[in-house]
Amino acid sequence: MSRRLYSPTRTISNRGDLPRYIGQFPCAKAEASHLVFDSMSALYCGIYLEWRQDVVSMAFEPHMLTFEAEAGLPELTCHPDYEAILDTGEIEFYEAKYSRDGLKDAEREKLALTAAHFEQRGIPYKVIYREDLETDGFIDTIILLRRYGLMQYPGGVVEAAAQRLAQGPEATLEAWRSHAATAGVPTALLYHLLYHQRLPLVYRPLLPMELQPCRA
């Protein structure tokens, strides 16, 4: 059975080569409090952008852009995966792909042409590769911490916990849990601080037990 979702620029369907991953995810920085995605690479890119402190708002495929032929570049129509507004007011566009080696020649050529058109106009445009996000367990750790990062805590509680842990050096998740237990900080609150980058975290592939939700 075909399932359809809609971005501002097109209909997204799970028809086509398998596997196809489409859906929606809650996003605190989206206008409608959620965003659609058309692949796991797009989902991971969206979670990464939401985690970034300098991104204040974001949207999935909000515009169909047409660039006229200019400076030796042919005309181009495209709809970048994400548009992000930074805390500086600057707008950046992002394309989500799985890997560099996995690109087809036509994809590689269009990405290069798109980048050239954006550069010609002085607009930041970047390709985010899922293989890079997965390095050293980075995006898996962000996904683990994210549910706790989105929880609401009284400001005084968060600041008190941050002060208790502030003297800790850059460490792995396992080391931070040990440090938090010694300091009397619940694991959920520790994860909240780590998600919001209040404590220096060393990323590494997660252990199986770390994938279980914490109860403290």
Side-chain angles (χ1 to χ4, degrees), residues 19-67:
R20 293 278 292 171
Y21 298 101
I22 70 172
Q24 302 178 72
F25 71 99
C27 179
K29 297 181 179 180
E31 183 177 357
S33 300
H34 70 273
L35 291 176
V36 300
F37 60 90
D38 64 353
S39 67
M40 290 302 295
S41 298
L43 172 61
Y44 283 8
C45 180
I47 290 173
Y48 161 69
L49 292 174
E50 182 189 36
W51 167 82
R52 275 180 38 184
Q53 292 182 315
D54 63 333
V55 173
V56 297
S57 67
M58 52 190 285
F60 182 74
E61 295 184 346
H63 304 296
M64 182 72 74
L65 304 175
T66 297
F67 297 117

Side-chain angles (χ1 to χ4, degrees), residues 11-12 26 35 49 52 61 65 74 96 106-107 129 139 141 175:
T11 298
I12 299 169
L35 291 176
L49 292 174
R52 275 180 38 184
E61 295 184 346
L65 304 175
E107 289 180 297
Y129 292 99
I139 196 64
T141 302

Side-chain angles (χ1 to χ4, degrees), residues 17-159:
D17 296 337
L18 297 177
R20 293 278 292 171
Y21 298 101
I22 70 172
Q24 302 178 72
F25 71 99
C27 179
K29 297 181 179 180
E31 183 177 357
S33 300
H34 70 273
L35 291 176
V36 300
F37 60 90
D38 64 353
S39 67
M40 290 302 295
S41 298
L43 172 61
Y44 283 8
C45 180
I47 290 173
Y48 161 69
L49 292 174
E50 182 189 36
W51 167 82
R52 275 180 38 184
Q53 292 182 315
D54 63 333
V55 173
V56 297
S57 67
M58 52 190 285
F60 182 74
E61 295 184 346
H63 304 296
M64 182 72 74
L65 304 175
T66 297
F67 297 117
E68 297 180 356
E70 182 178 336
L73 300 175
E75 183 182 42
L76 171 71
T77 297
C78 64
H79 47 79
D81 288 323
Y82 288 98
E83 176 186 292
I85 300 178
L86 307 187
D87 52 12
T88 60
E90 185 178 29
I91 297 176
E92 294 188 342
F93 290 89
Y94 296 87
E95 203 76 54
K97 296 295 180 183
Y98 174 67
S99 70
R100 295 168 181 81
D101 292 340
L103 293 174
K104 299 177 181 178
D105 290 341
E107 289 180 297
R108 201 183 310 275
E109 291 173 4
K110 184 169 183 179
L111 286 175
L113 177 58
T114 304
H117 270 291
F118 274 105
E119 183 179 8
Q120 182 72 22
R121 292 158 178 80
I123 304 173
Y125 171 81
K126 301 175 184 178
V127 181
I128 303 295
Y129 292 99
R130 178 178 160 188
E131 64 176 0
D132 294 340
L133 295 178
E134 292 176 330
T135 300
D136 294 329
F138 171 75
I139 196 64
D140 288 335
T141 302
I142 296 304
I143 291 172
L144 172 67
L145 300 177
R146 181 175 179 267
R147 70 189 73 182
Y148 304 101
L150 299 180
M151 292 172 62
Q152 299 294 318
Y153 287 96
V157 172
V158 173
E159 292 306 318

Side-chain angles (χ1 to χ4, degrees), residues 168-190:
E170 186 177 52
T172 64
L173 195 60
E174 183 178 16
W176 272 119
R177 283 200 306 271
S178 177
H179 187 24
T182 301
V185 175
T187 303
L189 185 50
L190 166 68

